[in-house]
Amino acid sequence: MKSGKEQTADLRWTLQKRMKEVLGRSLHIRHVDSGSCNGCDFEMNTLTNPIYDIQRFGVDFVASPRHADMLMVTGGVTRHLEEALIKTYNAASEPKMVVAIGACACGGGMFGRTYANYGGVDQIVPVYVYVPGCPPRPEAIIEGILLALDRYEELSRNKGENKR
Amino acid sequence: MEKTIKQWLSRMKQQLGNKVRSMEQNGAQETVMLVEKTELPDVCYFLWHEKKGRLFTMVGNDERDIHGFFALYYVFSFDSFRHFITVKTLIDPLDPTFPSVSVQLPAANWYEREVKDLLGLRPQGHPDPRPLILHGDWPEDLHPLRKDFPLDRHAPRVQSRESFMPYDSEDVTEIPVGPIHAGIIEPGHFRFGAVGDTILHLDARLFFTHRGLEKANEGMPLEKALFLAERICGVCALSHSTAFAQAAERLGGVTIPPRAAYLRTLFLELERLYNHIGDVGNICAGFGFAVGVSQGARLKETLQQLNERVAGHRYLRGIIRLGGIRIDITEREKEDIVRTLSYVKKEFQELVDLLFSHDIAMNRMATTGVLSLEHANQLEVVGVAARASGRSVDIRRDQPYAAYDQVSFHVPVYEVGDVLSRVRIRVDEVLESIAIIEQLMHSLPSGDTFTPLPPLPPYRSAMGWCESPRGETVHWLMVGPDQTVYRYRVRSATYSNWPAVPLAVKGNIVPDFPLINKSFELCYACCDR
Ligand code: SF4
């Protein structure tokens, strides 16, 4: 059996391969904190540390949604961040792949629905892929990106068929 | 000691005369003074200014179901007596106002704005009438922490009442930033009023991540509430769960077994370590020093992987249990900790040597973002930021919990209050934490790791506290008759420290703001709840 380290390495190579196949080039991600406890955010940050270093494989976290193929959203969308999330979503370029990171983003988590919290990203914008965990491990986030690529591939294939 | 506290308290009662209606003990460490609301400012100012009590937290509570009134609790910590004095006042629902304490005691500013938003108790004469926790488009007459407000009610959005500092002069440029920032960081909206490159004034709109946590916790069984408590913050998760557990244990009059206390201390220091080391690395991002960023992140990851091996969670979640701790450690795990820490210590020292011998880095950090001792004291700043400005507060030493009275450690203090001092504090504390863990490893007592909690007395309050990596954190807890949370108030280090940031950035250049901000390392999730 492969060690954890080897499995992580494999995952990243798969990521690079799939990005080439599906997108043709690199993947740009914009992060939106919609009211997380910051645990999920830190695990996303972890992906850029020298151990995981997914930037080496062509994934980058970018400053503007206009440069982003994917939005990674953490948190269950607070009332105070609803507008920011919608604006970011609208500003993002197609295909607007939204990946909900963590239990909060997926369905409210421990906080659920309160006067100040909507309880899930899909209450506000359409979600491509849900990555559960509190917080999800870095490997799970990579797995989430892979799933989003599958989904994108499938959707664009269907679109193509419809056109024909 | 007992006797001195009694004498000190009775003398205080004499000095306050008939301003205090009654005085009673609430547990061994807290004395509650009941006052008329008109006496609030005088009594609070006396305790703070004359008696040098630190404003520890302030809690508003809807107790109409219990006795028909709202209640306010201003808690002061008297570190030299290891005692708390709480000034309590009852507020008639027919006249939900009280005289503001904030003019004399600036640290009360946010607390009073908070009870206005969440409970509709209006501080009269408060210097800042703007909403704080709820943003300006929340209806002014709805107060979610009132018991008759349903948890999941979504209020309509109204015309916004938000306002920022207006500038008359054309020389002042307003620079709005956020709430969503360029990196993977938490949301907040900043308005800089700048003259050229220099910051004249910083206005901030925070509380974007307000999730309604305290309300959500109401009515929850304590075991479940503990899980919510540790989700206040990702990277201070253990400090929060520990503080919550301590509040419940204090209510139940339970002392946790020595082994549990030692293990809690061990993991709390592991939490401080991964945070402080990550933060020292991250500060390097403030001046584009990539080597430092990478080294810090690598060592942080090493420590988080250690967390996972020993505790089962990279962020140390799920290990606290009410009355003790859920996990124990084996000899092999002890060896793992010792081995990993000796490696981290060596590598960290290299990073520090590199950083402190780098001219550009030193140049950027030194004299940048100075917080004066006077301001730190006025605002009751805590944690790293306090100690970097010459304010020696550390709740591990001042009001010890877990096994902190069983280990010896030094609390570093620097005087300058600049970015460099805050980094130096973290560096020194990393070494102290490692030394604490070494002591714990040598003297870990055997025995149980948990004492069951008895049924908790309803409608009585207790506090739990913890020196999180960011500073002192307080949880105030009141349980209802059905053993669920009745009221829960969390005051994190960031809540105390944020108001100091605008004072520290004044006069600095705009590009230094990220560096100054990083050196405070504030956590919005903790602050906003
Ligand atoms: S899922 Fe967990 S780690 Fe992520 S934001 Fe929610 S509480 Fe925090």
Side-chain angles (χ1 to χ4, degrees):
Chain A
M1 211 183 108
K2 286 185 174 176
S3 73
K5 250 189 195 153
E6 286 164 345
Q7 286 177 23
T8 307
D10 282 357
L11 202 57
R12 290 178 306 177
W13 287 113
T14 315
L15 180 64
Q16 191 180 37
K17 185 170 142 267
R18 290 292 290 149
M19 275 174 358
K20 273 253 151 57
E21 283 170 8
V22 179
L23 301 173
R25 33 176 82 79
S26 60
L27 172 69
H28 282 188
I29 305 174
R30 172 65 238 177
H31 167 238
V32 185
D33 176 347
S34 80
S36 81
C37 80
N38 78 29
C40 285
D41 314 31
F42 271 100
E43 282 306 51
M44 285 177 57
N45 251 321
T46 299
L47 290 176
T48 64
N49 78 19
I51 313 280
Y52 295 94
D53 197 13
I54 62 168
Q55 278 161 318
R56 184 156 68 91
F57 298 87
V59 180
D60 205 6
F61 291 99
V62 292
S64 166
R66 296 194 195 283
H67 302 156
D69 313 293
M70 175 181 284
L71 297 179
M72 273 194 183
V73 188
T74 56
V77 193
T78 61
R79 174 187 170 97
H80 299 336
L81 283 163
E82 181 191 4
E83 185 191 345
L85 174 61
I86 292 173
K87 279 189 176 165
T88 311
Y89 181 81
N90 290 340
S93 43
E94 293 291 341
K96 300 185 196 281
M97 293 184 261
V98 175
V99 180
I101 300 288
C104 289
C106 290
M110 279 294 288
F111 297 93
R113 193 178 162 84
T114 74
Y115 65 90
N117 202 40
Y118 287 98
V121 174
D122 61 8
Q123 307 285 315
I124 309 297
V125 297
V127 171
Y128 237 68
V129 169
Y130 299 83
V131 182
C134 185
R137 304 173 46 86
E139 290 86 351
I141 300 178
I142 299 179
E143 199 63 70
I145 301 176
L146 283 168
L147 280 175
L149 293 176
D150 290 351
R151 177 106 208 267
Y152 175 66
E153 192 179 43
E154 199 186 303
L155 288 178
S156 30
R157 204 184 299 134
N158 289 348
K159 236 193 213 160
E161 276 169 12
N162 285 348
K163 260 185 211 151
R164 256 181 273 142
Chain B
M1 192 65 186
E2 276 294 286
K3 210 170 147 212
T4 25
I5 292 182
K6 277 214 179 93
Q7 284 172 348
W8 168 71
L9 284 169
S10 70
R11 206 180 125 67
M12 204 166 322
K13 198 173 174 198
Q14 269 174 13
Q15 285 173 310
L16 285 165
N18 53 13
K19 287 189 195 305
V20 176
R21 265 208 347 227
S22 71
M23 213 156 113
E24 64 177 49
Q25 287 299 118
N26 181 28
Q29 269 176 287
E30 187 187 357
T31 303
V32 180
M33 292 180 174
L34 187 68
V35 305
E36 290 296 336
K37 70 179 183 183
T38 45
E39 305 292 358
L40 259 184
D42 277 1
V43 176
C44 288
Y45 189 65
F46 173 80
L47 292 177
W48 182 67
H49 190 245
E50 296 282 316
K51 295 294 169 185
K52 306 289 172 232
R54 289 193 292 119
L55 181 63
F56 195 52
T57 185
M58 190 275 243
V59 185
N61 195 10
D62 179 356
E63 298 178 3
R64 288 174 300 170
D65 290 346
I66 313 173
H67 48 59
F69 293 90
F70 290 99
L72 291 178
Y73 302 81
Y74 289 75
V75 186
F76 295 85
S77 173
F78 293 85
D79 298 339
S80 50
F81 290 94
R82 294 195 175 166
H83 202 79
F84 298 98
I85 295 184
T86 298
V87 181
K88 176 181 179 181
T89 194
L90 299 178
I91 294 182
D92 189 339
L94 296 175
D95 175 22
T97 62
F98 62 100
S100 168
V101 170
S102 303
V103 179
Q104 289 164 300
L105 207 168
N109 190 312
W110 274 21
Y111 296 99
E112 294 186 341
R113 284 168 71 189
E114 175 162 342
V115 296
K116 181 176 163 200
D117 283 3
L118 298 180
L119 284 157
L121 306 176
R122 297 194 301 276
Q124 307 279 291
H126 191 287
D128 191 346
R130 294 177 300 174
L132 179 74
I133 310 284
L134 300 171
H135 283 190
D137 64 359
W138 176 275
E140 218 171 348
D141 54 347
L142 290 182
H143 308 292
L145 270 189
R146 291 193 171 186
K147 298 290 179 199
D148 46 14
F149 188 97
L151 170 65
D152 57 356
R153 171 164 176 201
H154 275 231
R157 290 189 193 269
V158 299
Q159 176 73 35
S160 179
R161 307 187 301 283
E162 292 295 330
S163 63
F164 294 95
M165 167 78 105
Y167 301 99
D168 286 338
S169 164
E170 281 183 1
D171 297 336
V172 181
T173 315
E174 261 190 85
I175 313 173
V177 185
I180 306 287
H181 301 285
I184 305 179
I185 34 176
E186 294 185 277
H189 177 75
F190 309 130
R191 284 280 169 113
F192 297 98
V195 179
D197 242 0
T198 306
I199 302 169
L200 186 69
H201 180 78
L202 164 63
D203 223 356
R205 189 64 187 100
L206 303 174
F207 295 93
F208 279 91
T209 66
H210 178 63
R211 293 148 280 171
L213 179 136
E214 290 173 1
K215 179 88 176 179
N217 225 339
E218 290 178 7
M220 265 193 197
L222 295 172
E223 290 287 348
K224 193 173 171 195
L226 172 69
F227 279 86
L228 191 55
E230 73 182 355
R231 276 158 186 80
I232 293 168
C233 173
V235 283
C236 297
L238 185 69
S239 298
H240 284 295
S241 55
T242 306
F244 180 85
Q246 285 173 356
E249 287 149 11
R250 199 159 277 118
L251 262 184
V254 161
T255 314
I256 63 169
R259 188 171 177 87
Y262 273 67
L263 289 173
R264 278 187 184 179
T265 313
L266 163 69
F267 290 117
L268 286 167
E269 290 310 311
L270 284 176
E271 177 170 81
R272 189 175 332 279
L273 274 179
Y274 87 77
N275 272 285
H276 273 10
I277 290 183
D279 292 344
V280 171
N282 205 27
I283 201 84
C284 300
F287 37 81
F289 187 41
V291 181
V293 181
S294 290
Q295 289 292 45
R298 186 171 65 82
L299 292 175
K300 180 181 176 188
E301 178 68 20
T302 307
L303 286 164
Q304 285 194 273
Q305 291 185 358
L306 173 70
N307 290 347
E308 182 164 39
R309 289 198 299 277
V310 178
H313 197 282
R314 290 164 57 84
Y315 293 86
L316 299 170
R317 277 184 174 150
I319 65 177
I320 294 292
R321 170 177 199 179
L322 300 178
I325 192 155
R326 256 172 234 283
I327 56 168
D328 207 337
I329 57 169
T330 60
E331 281 306 313
R332 259 182 72 186
E333 285 163 342
K334 265 168 94 171
E335 280 163 28
D336 189 3
I337 294 172
V338 172
R339 202 176 331 114
T340 309
L341 291 192
S342 84
Y343 167 78
V344 167
K345 188 173 169 180
K346 196 176 110 266
E347 298 279 307
F348 181 64
Q349 197 56 55
E350 270 180 34
L351 165 62
V352 170
D353 292 344
L354 195 66
L355 180 62
F356 287 163
S357 62
H358 194 292
D359 285 345
I360 297 175
M362 292 302 279
N363 204 325
R364 287 293 300 277
M365 293 189 290
T367 69
T368 305
V370 175
L371 174 69
S372 72
L373 175 60
E374 192 198 338
H375 284 153
N377 282 335
Q378 291 233 320
L379 293 174
E380 300 285 20
V381 170
V382 296
V384 170
R387 298 190 282 275
S389 291
R391 181 174 150 88
S392 180
V393 287
D394 187 328
I395 199 86
R396 294 177 295 172
R397 174 199 63 196
D398 300 336
Q399 308 257 18
Y401 52 94
Y404 284 110
D405 53 354
Q406 305 294 317
V407 287
S408 63
F409 59 99
H410 166 70
V411 176
V413 176
Y414 286 83
E415 308 292 332
V416 187
D418 55 359
V419 171
L420 181 60
S421 305
R422 289 186 281 276
V423 175
R424 283 195 195 282
I425 293 274
R426 290 196 179 89
V427 169
D428 291 3
E429 288 185 357
V430 163
L431 303 177
E432 290 296 328
S433 288
I434 294 177
I436 291 176
I437 293 175
E438 281 165 2
Q439 294 173 54
L440 294 168
M441 288 293 147
H442 284 132
S443 53
L444 193 62
S446 54
D448 287 344
T449 51
F450 143 83
T451 315
L453 241 54
L456 305 182
Y459 304 133
R460 280 220 357 244
S461 68
M463 293 181 292
W465 53 86
C466 206
E467 184 77 21
S468 82
R470 283 155 189 77
E472 173 189 288
T473 294
V474 196
H475 291 218
W476 189 98
L477 178 68
M478 183 181 269
V479 174
D482 52 356
Q483 298 296 304
T484 62
V485 175
Y486 187 77
R487 173 78 171 104
Y488 175 51
R489 167 70 160 98
V490 180
R491 196 278 289 155
S492 64
T494 298
Y495 193 87
S496 295
N497 287 358
W498 225 106
V501 174
L503 298 175
V505 300
K506 216 176 238 181
N508 286 267
I509 55 172
V510 179
D512 270 342
F513 175 73
L515 181 62
I516 300 169
N517 201 10
K518 277 188 178 61
S519 74
F520 277 89
E521 179 48 26
L522 302 170
C523 165
Y524 299 174
C526 286
C527 181
D528 303 356
R529 296 155 284 144

